[in-house]
Amino acid sequence: MRKETIALSEVLPGQAARVAEICVEGALRRRLFDLGLIPGTFISCRCVAPAGSPMAFTVRGAAIALRRCDAAQILAEAGT
């Protein structure tokens, strides 16, 4: 059964997902890879700022914050 693929910006606080694809290029892509955010990695949303951006995620035991527009360019498999 195939999991639903959604943008990481759609993951709600308390939900977890698995990164499916990073759709950004250049320095941001490299930075995400350096932080351990690579396809296949489990990620969970910790919280979202009241204005909706940034969003805080847990990746490999570390907390990272991403702007919502950047999180929208990362595809994830929901419900993992």
Side-chain angles (χ1 to χ4, degrees):
M1 185 168 101
R2 183 153 170 86
K3 301 281 184 179
E4 178 188 4
T5 302
I6 61 171
L8 194 58
S9 59
E10 301 301 317
V11 177
L12 300 174
Q15 288 184 327
R18 182 188 300 237
V19 175
E21 184 178 352
I22 309 286
C23 300
V24 295
E25 297 297 325
L28 178 58
R29 182 180 182 89
R30 174 63 185 203
R31 181 69 178 141
L32 293 173
F33 282 3
D34 288 345
L35 291 170
L37 195 64
I38 58 174
T41 302
F42 285 102
I43 187 169
S44 63
C45 183
R46 296 180 68 163
C47 61
V48 178
S53 184
M55 303 177 73
F57 296 94
T58 301
V59 180
R60 299 179 185 259
I64 65 167
L66 294 173
R67 294 179 292 189
R68 182 174 286 278
C69 62
D70 294 333
Q73 297 181 61
I74 300 168
L75 300 179
E77 293 176 349
T80 55

Short mmCIF file of all heavy atoms in Angstrom, two decimals:
data_model
loop_
_atom_site.label_atom_id
_atom_site.label_comp_id
_atom_site.label_asym_id
_atom_site.label_seq_id
_atom_site.Cartn_x
_atom_site.Cartn_y
_atom_site.Cartn_z
N MET A 1 0.83 -1.18 0.00
CA MET A 1 0.00 0.00 0.00
C MET A 1 0.88 1.24 0.00
O MET A 1 1.81 1.35 0.79
CB MET A 1 -0.90 -0.01 1.24
CG MET A 1 -1.88 1.13 1.25
SD MET A 1 -3.12 0.89 2.53
CE MET A 1 -2.48 1.99 3.77
N ARG A 2 0.56 2.21 -0.87
CA ARG A 2 1.35 3.42 -0.99
C ARG A 2 0.85 4.46 0.01
O ARG A 2 -0.33 4.68 0.15
CB ARG A 2 1.26 3.96 -2.41
CG ARG A 2 2.10 5.17 -2.62
CD ARG A 2 2.51 5.28 -4.08
NE ARG A 2 3.12 6.57 -4.33
CZ ARG A 2 4.39 6.83 -4.15
NH1 ARG A 2 5.19 5.89 -3.69
NH2 ARG A 2 4.89 8.01 -4.41
N LYS A 3 1.79 5.10 0.67
CA LYS A 3 1.45 6.16 1.61
C LYS A 3 1.12 7.45 0.87
O LYS A 3 1.58 7.68 -0.24
CB LYS A 3 2.63 6.44 2.56
CG LYS A 3 3.08 5.25 3.36
CD LYS A 3 2.17 5.03 4.52
CE LYS A 3 2.70 3.89 5.36
NZ LYS A 3 1.91 3.62 6.49
N GLU A 4 0.32 8.29 1.49
CA GLU A 4 -0.03 9.58 0.92
C GLU A 4 1.17 10.51 0.99
O GLU A 4 1.79 10.66 2.03
CB GLU A 4 -1.20 10.17 1.69
CG GLU A 4 -1.61 11.54 1.20
CD GLU A 4 -2.65 12.18 2.10
OE1 GLU A 4 -3.00 11.62 3.13
OE2 GLU A 4 -3.09 13.28 1.75
N THR A 5 1.51 11.16 -0.12
CA THR A 5 2.62 12.11 -0.15
C THR A 5 2.07 13.51 -0.02
O THR A 5 1.18 13.91 -0.78
CB THR A 5 3.42 11.98 -1.47
OG1 THR A 5 3.90 10.64 -1.57
CG2 THR A 5 4.61 12.92 -1.46
N ILE A 6 2.57 14.23 0.98
CA ILE A 6 2.13 15.61 1.23
C ILE A 6 3.36 16.49 1.41
O ILE A 6 4.47 15.99 1.61
CB ILE A 6 1.24 15.70 2.49
CG1 ILE A 6 2.01 15.23 3.73
CG2 ILE A 6 -0.05 14.92 2.30
CD1 ILE A 6 1.30 15.49 5.04
N ALA A 7 3.14 17.79 1.36
CA ALA A 7 4.23 18.73 1.66
C ALA A 7 4.48 18.71 3.16
O ALA A 7 3.55 18.55 3.96
CB ALA A 7 3.84 20.13 1.21
N LEU A 8 5.72 18.87 3.55
CA LEU A 8 6.08 18.87 4.96
C LEU A 8 5.37 20.00 5.71
O LEU A 8 5.08 19.87 6.90
CB LEU A 8 7.60 19.01 5.11
CG LEU A 8 8.19 18.72 6.47
CD1 LEU A 8 7.86 17.31 6.93
CD2 LEU A 8 9.69 18.91 6.45
N SER A 9 5.03 21.06 5.02
CA SER A 9 4.32 22.17 5.65
C SER A 9 2.90 21.79 6.08
O SER A 9 2.27 22.49 6.86
CB SER A 9 4.26 23.37 4.70
OG SER A 9 3.61 23.01 3.50
N GLU A 10 2.38 20.66 5.58
CA GLU A 10 1.04 20.19 5.93
C GLU A 10 1.03 19.24 7.13
O GLU A 10 -0.03 18.86 7.60
CB GLU A 10 0.40 19.50 4.72
CG GLU A 10 0.26 20.40 3.51
CD GLU A 10 -0.58 21.63 3.78
OE1 GLU A 10 -1.63 21.50 4.45
OE2 GLU A 10 -0.17 22.73 3.36
N VAL A 11 2.20 18.85 7.61
CA VAL A 11 2.28 17.97 8.77
C VAL A 11 1.92 18.79 10.01
O VAL A 11 2.46 19.87 10.23
CB VAL A 11 3.69 17.35 8.92
CG1 VAL A 11 3.78 16.50 10.16
CG2 VAL A 11 4.02 16.52 7.68
N LEU A 12 1.00 18.28 10.79
CA LEU A 12 0.52 19.00 11.97
C LEU A 12 1.38 18.68 13.20
O LEU A 12 2.02 17.62 13.25
CB LEU A 12 -0.93 18.62 12.26
CG LEU A 12 -1.93 18.92 11.14
CD1 LEU A 12 -3.29 18.36 11.49
CD2 LEU A 12 -1.98 20.42 10.88
N PRO A 13 1.39 19.57 14.19
CA PRO A 13 2.14 19.29 15.42
C PRO A 13 1.72 17.96 16.03
O PRO A 13 0.54 17.63 16.10
CB PRO A 13 1.76 20.46 16.33
CG PRO A 13 1.48 21.58 15.38
CD PRO A 13 0.79 20.91 14.21
N GLY A 14 2.70 17.17 16.40
CA GLY A 14 2.46 15.84 16.96
C GLY A 14 2.45 14.73 15.93
O GLY A 14 2.51 13.56 16.29
N GLN A 15 2.38 15.06 14.65
CA GLN A 15 2.38 14.05 13.60
C GLN A 15 3.80 13.77 13.13
O GLN A 15 4.66 14.63 13.20
CB GLN A 15 1.55 14.50 12.40
CG GLN A 15 0.08 14.52 12.64
CD GLN A 15 -0.69 14.89 11.38
OE1 GLN A 15 -0.20 15.67 10.56
NE2 GLN A 15 -1.88 14.33 11.23
N ALA A 16 3.99 12.57 12.63
CA ALA A 16 5.29 12.16 12.09
C ALA A 16 5.12 11.80 10.62
O ALA A 16 4.03 11.49 10.16
CB ALA A 16 5.84 10.98 12.86
N ALA A 17 6.23 11.86 9.90
CA ALA A 17 6.23 11.52 8.48
C ALA A 17 7.63 11.05 8.11
O ALA A 17 8.57 11.17 8.90
CB ALA A 17 5.82 12.72 7.64
N ARG A 18 7.75 10.51 6.91
CA ARG A 18 9.05 10.10 6.39
C ARG A 18 9.33 10.94 5.15
O ARG A 18 8.50 11.05 4.27
CB ARG A 18 9.04 8.63 6.00
CG ARG A 18 10.39 8.14 5.49
CD ARG A 18 10.29 6.75 4.92
NE ARG A 18 9.84 5.81 5.94
CZ ARG A 18 10.52 4.73 6.31
NH1 ARG A 18 11.65 4.43 5.73
NH2 ARG A 18 10.05 3.93 7.22
N VAL A 19 10.51 11.55 5.09
CA VAL A 19 10.88 12.40 3.96
C VAL A 19 10.94 11.55 2.70
O VAL A 19 11.59 10.52 2.67
CB VAL A 19 12.23 13.11 4.21
CG1 VAL A 19 12.66 13.90 3.00
CG2 VAL A 19 12.15 14.00 5.44
N ALA A 20 10.23 12.01 1.66
CA ALA A 20 10.21 11.29 0.40
C ALA A 20 11.10 11.97 -0.64
O ALA A 20 11.79 11.29 -1.39
CB ALA A 20 8.77 11.21 -0.14
N GLU A 21 11.07 13.30 -0.69
CA GLU A 21 11.83 14.01 -1.71
C GLU A 21 12.10 15.45 -1.27
O GLU A 21 11.24 16.09 -0.69
CB GLU A 21 11.04 14.02 -3.02
CG GLU A 21 11.74 14.64 -4.19
CD GLU A 21 10.92 14.59 -5.46
OE1 GLU A 21 9.87 13.93 -5.48
OE2 GLU A 21 11.35 15.20 -6.45
N ILE A 22 13.30 15.94 -1.56
CA ILE A 22 13.68 17.32 -1.30
C ILE A 22 13.64 18.04 -2.65
O ILE A 22 14.41 17.71 -3.55
CB ILE A 22 15.10 17.43 -0.70
CG1 ILE A 22 15.27 16.52 0.51
CG2 ILE A 22 15.44 18.88 -0.38
CD1 ILE A 22 14.58 16.95 1.75
N CYS A 23 12.73 19.00 -2.80
CA CYS A 23 12.52 19.67 -4.09
C CYS A 23 13.16 21.05 -4.15
O CYS A 23 12.69 21.92 -4.87
CB CYS A 23 11.03 19.78 -4.38
SG CYS A 23 10.19 18.20 -4.45
N VAL A 24 14.20 21.29 -3.38
CA VAL A 24 14.92 22.56 -3.41
C VAL A 24 16.32 22.33 -3.95
O VAL A 24 16.81 21.20 -3.95
CB VAL A 24 14.99 23.24 -2.02
CG1 VAL A 24 13.62 23.61 -1.54
CG2 VAL A 24 15.67 22.34 -1.01
N GLU A 25 16.95 23.38 -4.41
CA GLU A 25 18.29 23.28 -4.98
C GLU A 25 19.24 24.23 -4.25
O GLU A 25 18.82 25.02 -3.43
CB GLU A 25 18.25 23.64 -6.47
CG GLU A 25 17.42 22.71 -7.33
CD GLU A 25 17.94 21.28 -7.35
OE1 GLU A 25 19.18 21.09 -7.31
OE2 GLU A 25 17.12 20.35 -7.40
N GLY A 26 20.49 24.11 -4.59
CA GLY A 26 21.50 25.05 -4.11
C GLY A 26 21.87 24.92 -2.64
O GLY A 26 21.88 23.82 -2.08
N ALA A 27 22.14 26.06 -2.04
CA ALA A 27 22.65 26.11 -0.67
C ALA A 27 21.65 25.55 0.34
O ALA A 27 22.04 24.89 1.30
CB ALA A 27 23.03 27.53 -0.30
N LEU A 28 20.36 25.80 0.13
CA LEU A 28 19.36 25.28 1.07
C LEU A 28 19.33 23.76 1.04
O LEU A 28 19.25 23.12 2.09
CB LEU A 28 17.98 25.85 0.77
CG LEU A 28 16.85 25.35 1.67
CD1 LEU A 28 17.14 25.63 3.14
CD2 LEU A 28 15.53 25.95 1.26
N ARG A 29 19.40 23.18 -0.15
CA ARG A 29 19.42 21.71 -0.25
C ARG A 29 20.61 21.13 0.50
O ARG A 29 20.48 20.18 1.26
CB ARG A 29 19.46 21.30 -1.72
CG ARG A 29 19.42 19.80 -1.94
CD ARG A 29 19.46 19.49 -3.45
NE ARG A 29 19.37 18.09 -3.70
CZ ARG A 29 18.24 17.40 -3.87
NH1 ARG A 29 17.08 18.03 -3.82
NH2 ARG A 29 18.26 16.12 -4.11
N ARG A 30 21.77 21.73 0.31
CA ARG A 30 22.98 21.27 1.00
C ARG A 30 22.83 21.40 2.51
O ARG A 30 23.20 20.51 3.26
CB ARG A 30 24.18 22.09 0.49
CG ARG A 30 25.46 21.84 1.20
CD ARG A 30 25.92 20.41 1.02
NE ARG A 30 27.11 20.20 1.82
CZ ARG A 30 27.98 19.27 1.59
NH1 ARG A 30 27.81 18.44 0.59
NH2 ARG A 30 29.02 19.13 2.35
N ARG A 31 22.26 22.51 2.96
CA ARG A 31 22.07 22.73 4.39
C ARG A 31 21.12 21.69 4.98
O ARG A 31 21.36 21.16 6.07
CB ARG A 31 21.53 24.15 4.63
CG ARG A 31 21.32 24.48 6.07
CD ARG A 31 22.62 24.59 6.81
NE ARG A 31 22.37 24.97 8.19
CZ ARG A 31 23.02 24.48 9.23
NH1 ARG A 31 24.01 23.64 9.05
NH2 ARG A 31 22.73 24.86 10.43
N LEU A 32 20.04 21.39 4.28
CA LEU A 32 19.10 20.38 4.76
C LEU A 32 19.77 19.02 4.86
O LEU A 32 19.57 18.28 5.83
CB LEU A 32 17.88 20.32 3.85
CG LEU A 32 16.98 21.55 3.84
CD1 LEU A 32 15.90 21.42 2.77
CD2 LEU A 32 16.36 21.79 5.20
N PHE A 33 20.58 18.68 3.86
CA PHE A 33 21.31 17.42 3.90
C PHE A 33 22.29 17.40 5.07
O PHE A 33 22.44 16.39 5.76
CB PHE A 33 22.05 17.17 2.60
CG PHE A 33 21.18 16.69 1.46
CD1 PHE A 33 19.81 16.54 1.60
CD2 PHE A 33 21.74 16.37 0.25
CE1 PHE A 33 19.00 16.10 0.55
CE2 PHE A 33 20.96 15.92 -0.81
CZ PHE A 33 19.59 15.79 -0.66
N ASP A 34 22.96 18.51 5.32
CA ASP A 34 23.90 18.61 6.45
C ASP A 34 23.19 18.40 7.79
O ASP A 34 23.78 17.88 8.73
CB ASP A 34 24.61 19.96 6.46
CG ASP A 34 25.64 20.10 5.35
OD1 ASP A 34 26.00 19.07 4.73
OD2 ASP A 34 26.06 21.24 5.08
N LEU A 35 21.93 18.82 7.86
CA LEU A 35 21.14 18.66 9.09
C LEU A 35 20.58 17.25 9.23
O LEU A 35 19.95 16.92 10.22
CB LEU A 35 20.00 19.67 9.12
CG LEU A 35 20.40 21.13 9.30
CD1 LEU A 35 19.20 22.04 9.07
CD2 LEU A 35 20.98 21.35 10.69
N GLY A 36 20.79 16.41 8.22
CA GLY A 36 20.31 15.03 8.27
C GLY A 36 18.94 14.84 7.65
O GLY A 36 18.34 13.78 7.77
N LEU A 37 18.44 15.86 6.99
CA LEU A 37 17.13 15.79 6.36
C LEU A 37 17.31 15.26 4.94
O LEU A 37 17.46 16.02 3.99
CB LEU A 37 16.49 17.18 6.34
CG LEU A 37 15.00 17.23 6.06
CD1 LEU A 37 14.23 16.53 7.16
CD2 LEU A 37 14.54 18.66 5.97
N ILE A 38 17.31 13.94 4.81
CA ILE A 38 17.50 13.27 3.53
C ILE A 38 16.33 12.32 3.30
O ILE A 38 15.64 11.95 4.25
CB ILE A 38 18.85 12.51 3.47
CG1 ILE A 38 18.92 11.47 4.58
CG2 ILE A 38 20.02 13.47 3.56
CD1 ILE A 38 20.13 10.58 4.52
N PRO A 39 16.06 11.94 2.05
CA PRO A 39 14.97 11.01 1.80
C PRO A 39 15.10 9.74 2.65
O PRO A 39 16.18 9.18 2.80
CB PRO A 39 15.11 10.71 0.31
CG PRO A 39 15.71 11.96 -0.25
CD PRO A 39 16.68 12.42 0.81
N GLY A 40 13.97 9.34 3.23
CA GLY A 40 13.93 8.16 4.09
C GLY A 40 14.00 8.49 5.57
O GLY A 40 13.74 7.64 6.41
N THR A 41 14.33 9.72 5.91
CA THR A 41 14.46 10.13 7.31
C THR A 41 13.09 10.37 7.93
O THR A 41 12.22 11.00 7.33
CB THR A 41 15.28 11.44 7.42
OG1 THR A 41 16.55 11.22 6.84
CG2 THR A 41 15.44 11.88 8.84
N PHE A 42 12.90 9.89 9.16
CA PHE A 42 11.67 10.18 9.90
C PHE A 42 11.77 11.58 10.47
O PHE A 42 12.83 11.99 10.95
CB PHE A 42 11.46 9.18 11.03
CG PHE A 42 10.99 7.84 10.55
CD1 PHE A 42 11.87 6.78 10.45
CD2 PHE A 42 9.67 7.64 10.19
CE1 PHE A 42 11.45 5.56 9.99
CE2 PHE A 42 9.23 6.42 9.73
CZ PHE A 42 10.14 5.37 9.64
N ILE A 43 10.66 12.31 10.44
CA ILE A 43 10.61 13.68 10.93
C ILE A 43 9.27 13.87 11.62
O ILE A 43 8.27 13.29 11.21
CB ILE A 43 10.82 14.69 9.78
CG1 ILE A 43 10.92 16.10 10.30
CG2 ILE A 43 9.74 14.55 8.73
CD1 ILE A 43 11.39 17.10 9.27
N SER A 44 9.25 14.63 12.70
CA SER A 44 7.99 14.93 13.37
C SER A 44 7.89 16.42 13.61
O SER A 44 8.89 17.10 13.86
CB SER A 44 7.87 14.15 14.69
OG SER A 44 8.87 14.54 15.58
N CYS A 45 6.67 16.91 13.52
CA CYS A 45 6.42 18.34 13.73
C CYS A 45 6.26 18.56 15.23
O CYS A 45 5.44 17.91 15.88
CB CYS A 45 5.17 18.77 12.98
SG CYS A 45 4.82 20.52 13.11
N ARG A 46 7.04 19.47 15.76
CA ARG A 46 6.95 19.80 17.19
C ARG A 46 5.94 20.89 17.44
O ARG A 46 5.12 20.78 18.34
CB ARG A 46 8.30 20.24 17.72
CG ARG A 46 9.35 19.14 17.65
CD ARG A 46 10.65 19.60 18.17
NE ARG A 46 10.54 19.84 19.61
CZ ARG A 46 11.58 19.95 20.42
NH1 ARG A 46 12.79 19.88 19.94
NH2 ARG A 46 11.40 20.16 21.69
N CYS A 47 6.02 21.98 16.67
CA CYS A 47 5.10 23.09 16.84
C CYS A 47 5.18 24.03 15.65
O CYS A 47 6.10 23.95 14.84
CB CYS A 47 5.37 23.85 18.13
SG CYS A 47 7.00 24.60 18.22
N VAL A 48 4.20 24.91 15.58
CA VAL A 48 4.14 25.92 14.52
C VAL A 48 3.96 27.27 15.19
O VAL A 48 3.16 27.40 16.12
CB VAL A 48 2.95 25.63 13.56
CG1 VAL A 48 2.86 26.68 12.48
CG2 VAL A 48 3.08 24.24 12.95
N ALA A 49 4.68 28.27 14.72
CA ALA A 49 4.55 29.61 15.27
C ALA A 49 3.12 30.12 15.07
O ALA A 49 2.44 29.70 14.13
CB ALA A 49 5.55 30.55 14.60
N PRO A 50 2.65 31.02 15.93
CA PRO A 50 1.28 31.54 15.79
C PRO A 50 0.98 32.12 14.41
O PRO A 50 -0.14 31.99 13.91
CB PRO A 50 1.20 32.62 16.86
CG PRO A 50 2.19 32.20 17.90
CD PRO A 50 3.31 31.55 17.12
N ALA A 51 1.96 32.72 13.76
CA ALA A 51 1.75 33.28 12.43
C ALA A 51 1.85 32.21 11.34
O ALA A 51 1.64 32.51 10.17
CB ALA A 51 2.75 34.39 12.16
N GLY A 52 2.19 30.98 11.70
CA GLY A 52 2.29 29.89 10.74
C GLY A 52 3.70 29.60 10.26
O GLY A 52 3.95 28.60 9.62
N SER A 53 4.62 30.49 10.51
CA SER A 53 6.01 30.30 10.09
C SER A 53 6.90 30.98 11.11
O SER A 53 6.59 32.11 11.53
CB SER A 53 6.23 30.92 8.72
OG SER A 53 7.54 30.68 8.25
N PRO A 54 7.97 30.33 11.58
CA PRO A 54 8.52 29.04 11.16
C PRO A 54 7.81 27.86 11.82
O PRO A 54 6.96 28.03 12.69
CB PRO A 54 9.97 29.12 11.63
CG PRO A 54 9.91 29.97 12.86
CD PRO A 54 8.83 30.98 12.57
N MET A 55 8.21 26.69 11.38
CA MET A 55 7.72 25.43 11.93
C MET A 55 8.91 24.72 12.56
O MET A 55 10.00 24.75 12.00
CB MET A 55 7.12 24.56 10.83
CG MET A 55 5.99 25.21 10.06
SD MET A 55 5.39 24.17 8.71
CE MET A 55 4.51 22.92 9.63
N ALA A 56 8.70 24.08 13.70
CA ALA A 56 9.77 23.34 14.37
C ALA A 56 9.55 21.84 14.16
O ALA A 56 8.43 21.35 14.30
CB ALA A 56 9.81 23.66 15.85
N PHE A 57 10.64 21.15 13.82
CA PHE A 57 10.60 19.71 13.57
C PHE A 57 11.69 19.01 14.36
O PHE A 57 12.71 19.62 14.69
CB PHE A 57 10.83 19.42 12.08
CG PHE A 57 9.77 19.97 11.17
CD1 PHE A 57 9.92 21.21 10.57
CD2 PHE A 57 8.62 19.25 10.92
CE1 PHE A 57 8.96 21.72 9.74
CE2 PHE A 57 7.64 19.76 10.09
CZ PHE A 57 7.80 21.00 9.50
N THR A 58 11.48 17.74 14.64
CA THR A 58 12.53 16.90 15.22
C THR A 58 13.04 15.98 14.12
O THR A 58 12.26 15.26 13.49
CB THR A 58 11.99 16.05 16.39
OG1 THR A 58 11.47 16.93 17.39
CG2 THR A 58 13.09 15.19 16.99
N VAL A 59 14.36 16.06 13.89
CA VAL A 59 15.01 15.25 12.87
C VAL A 59 16.20 14.57 13.52
O VAL A 59 17.11 15.25 14.00
CB VAL A 59 15.50 16.12 11.68
CG1 VAL A 59 16.19 15.26 10.64
CG2 VAL A 59 14.37 16.90 11.08
N ARG A 60 16.19 13.25 13.57
CA ARG A 60 17.30 12.48 14.14
C ARG A 60 17.67 12.97 15.55
O ARG A 60 18.84 13.09 15.90
CB ARG A 60 18.51 12.53 13.22
CG ARG A 60 18.24 11.94 11.86
CD ARG A 60 19.46 12.04 10.96
NE ARG A 60 19.16 11.57 9.64
CZ ARG A 60 19.50 10.37 9.17
NH1 ARG A 60 20.15 9.52 9.91
NH2 ARG A 60 19.17 10.02 7.94
N GLY A 61 16.66 13.31 16.34
CA GLY A 61 16.87 13.73 17.73
C GLY A 61 17.19 15.19 17.91
O GLY A 61 17.31 15.66 19.04
N ALA A 62 17.33 15.94 16.84
CA ALA A 62 17.64 17.37 16.93
C ALA A 62 16.43 18.19 16.50
O ALA A 62 15.66 17.77 15.63
CB ALA A 62 18.82 17.71 16.04
N ALA A 63 16.26 19.35 17.11
CA ALA A 63 15.18 20.26 16.75
C ALA A 63 15.68 21.23 15.70
O ALA A 63 16.75 21.83 15.86
CB ALA A 63 14.68 21.00 17.97
N ILE A 64 14.92 21.38 14.62
CA ILE A 64 15.27 22.35 13.58
C ILE A 64 14.03 23.18 13.27
O ILE A 64 12.90 22.72 13.46
CB ILE A 64 15.81 21.71 12.29
CG1 ILE A 64 14.74 20.87 11.60
CG2 ILE A 64 17.06 20.88 12.57
CD1 ILE A 64 15.11 20.48 10.18
N ALA A 65 14.23 24.40 12.81
CA ALA A 65 13.12 25.26 12.41
C ALA A 65 13.25 25.54 10.92
O ALA A 65 14.34 25.77 10.41
CB ALA A 65 13.15 26.57 13.20
N LEU A 66 12.13 25.47 10.24
CA LEU A 66 12.08 25.74 8.80
C LEU A 66 10.98 26.75 8.53
O LEU A 66 9.91 26.70 9.15
CB LEU A 66 11.76 24.47 8.01
CG LEU A 66 12.77 23.35 8.02
CD1 LEU A 66 12.19 22.12 7.32
CD2 LEU A 66 14.05 23.79 7.34
N ARG A 67 11.24 27.64 7.58
CA ARG A 67 10.17 28.52 7.13
C ARG A 67 9.12 27.67 6.44
O ARG A 67 9.44 26.66 5.81
CB ARG A 67 10.71 29.56 6.15
CG ARG A 67 11.69 30.53 6.80
CD ARG A 67 12.20 31.51 5.79
NE ARG A 67 13.04 30.77 4.82
CZ ARG A 67 13.79 31.35 3.91
NH1 ARG A 67 13.80 32.66 3.79
NH2 ARG A 67 14.53 30.63 3.10
N ARG A 68 7.87 28.07 6.54
CA ARG A 68 6.79 27.30 5.93
C ARG A 68 7.00 27.17 4.42
O ARG A 68 6.76 26.12 3.85
CB ARG A 68 5.43 27.94 6.22
CG ARG A 68 4.27 27.13 5.64
CD ARG A 68 2.92 27.69 6.04
NE ARG A 68 2.59 27.42 7.42
CZ ARG A 68 2.07 26.27 7.87
NH1 ARG A 68 1.86 25.28 7.04
NH2 ARG A 68 1.79 26.10 9.14
N CYS A 69 7.49 28.22 3.76
CA CYS A 69 7.70 28.16 2.31
C CYS A 69 8.78 27.14 1.95
O CYS A 69 8.71 26.51 0.90
CB CYS A 69 8.03 29.54 1.74
SG CYS A 69 9.54 30.27 2.38
N ASP A 70 9.78 26.95 2.82
CA ASP A 70 10.80 25.94 2.58
C ASP A 70 10.26 24.54 2.86
O ASP A 70 10.53 23.60 2.12
CB ASP A 70 12.05 26.21 3.42
CG ASP A 70 12.76 27.49 3.01
OD1 ASP A 70 12.63 27.90 1.83
OD2 ASP A 70 13.43 28.09 3.87
N ALA A 71 9.48 24.41 3.93
CA ALA A 71 8.88 23.12 4.27
C ALA A 71 7.91 22.66 3.18
O ALA A 71 7.74 21.45 2.96
CB ALA A 71 8.17 23.20 5.62
N ALA A 72 7.30 23.61 2.47
CA ALA A 72 6.37 23.27 1.40
C ALA A 72 7.06 22.61 0.21
O ALA A 72 6.42 21.95 -0.61
CB ALA A 72 5.63 24.52 0.93
N GLN A 73 8.39 22.75 0.12
CA GLN A 73 9.15 22.18 -0.98
C GLN A 73 9.77 20.82 -0.63
O GLN A 73 10.57 20.29 -1.38
CB GLN A 73 10.24 23.15 -1.41
CG GLN A 73 9.67 24.46 -1.94
CD GLN A 73 10.75 25.38 -2.37
OE1 GLN A 73 11.52 25.06 -3.29
NE2 GLN A 73 10.85 26.54 -1.74
N ILE A 74 9.38 20.29 0.52
CA ILE A 74 9.86 18.98 0.95
C ILE A 74 8.66 18.05 0.98
O ILE A 74 7.66 18.34 1.65
CB ILE A 74 10.53 19.06 2.34
CG1 ILE A 74 11.71 20.02 2.30
CG2 ILE A 74 10.93 17.66 2.82
CD1 ILE A 74 12.26 20.38 3.65
N LEU A 75 8.72 16.97 0.22
CA LEU A 75 7.62 16.01 0.18
C LEU A 75 7.84 14.91 1.21
O LEU A 75 8.98 14.45 1.40
CB LEU A 75 7.47 15.41 -1.21
CG LEU A 75 7.20 16.42 -2.32
CD1 LEU A 75 7.11 15.68 -3.66
CD2 LEU A 75 5.95 17.21 -2.06
N ALA A 76 6.76 14.51 1.86
CA ALA A 76 6.86 13.49 2.91
C ALA A 76 5.71 12.50 2.78
O ALA A 76 4.64 12.83 2.27
CB ALA A 76 6.84 14.16 4.28
N GLU A 77 5.95 11.29 3.26
CA GLU A 77 4.91 10.26 3.32
C GLU A 77 4.25 10.36 4.68
O GLU A 77 4.89 10.12 5.71
CB GLU A 77 5.51 8.89 3.11
CG GLU A 77 6.06 8.68 1.73
CD GLU A 77 6.73 7.33 1.57
OE1 GLU A 77 6.96 6.63 2.58
OE2 GLU A 77 7.05 6.97 0.43
N ALA A 78 3.01 10.72 4.70
CA ALA A 78 2.27 10.90 5.95
C ALA A 78 1.89 9.56 6.56
O ALA A 78 1.80 8.55 5.87
CB ALA A 78 1.02 11.73 5.69
N GLY A 79 1.67 9.59 7.86
CA GLY A 79 1.16 8.41 8.54
C GLY A 79 2.16 7.32 8.78
O GLY A 79 1.80 6.17 8.93
N THR A 80 3.46 7.67 8.85
CA THR A 80 4.47 6.64 9.10
C THR A 80 4.86 6.62 10.55
O THR A 80 4.58 7.50 11.29
CB THR A 80 5.73 6.88 8.25
OG1 THR A 80 6.22 8.18 8.50
CG2 THR A 80 5.43 6.68 6.79
#
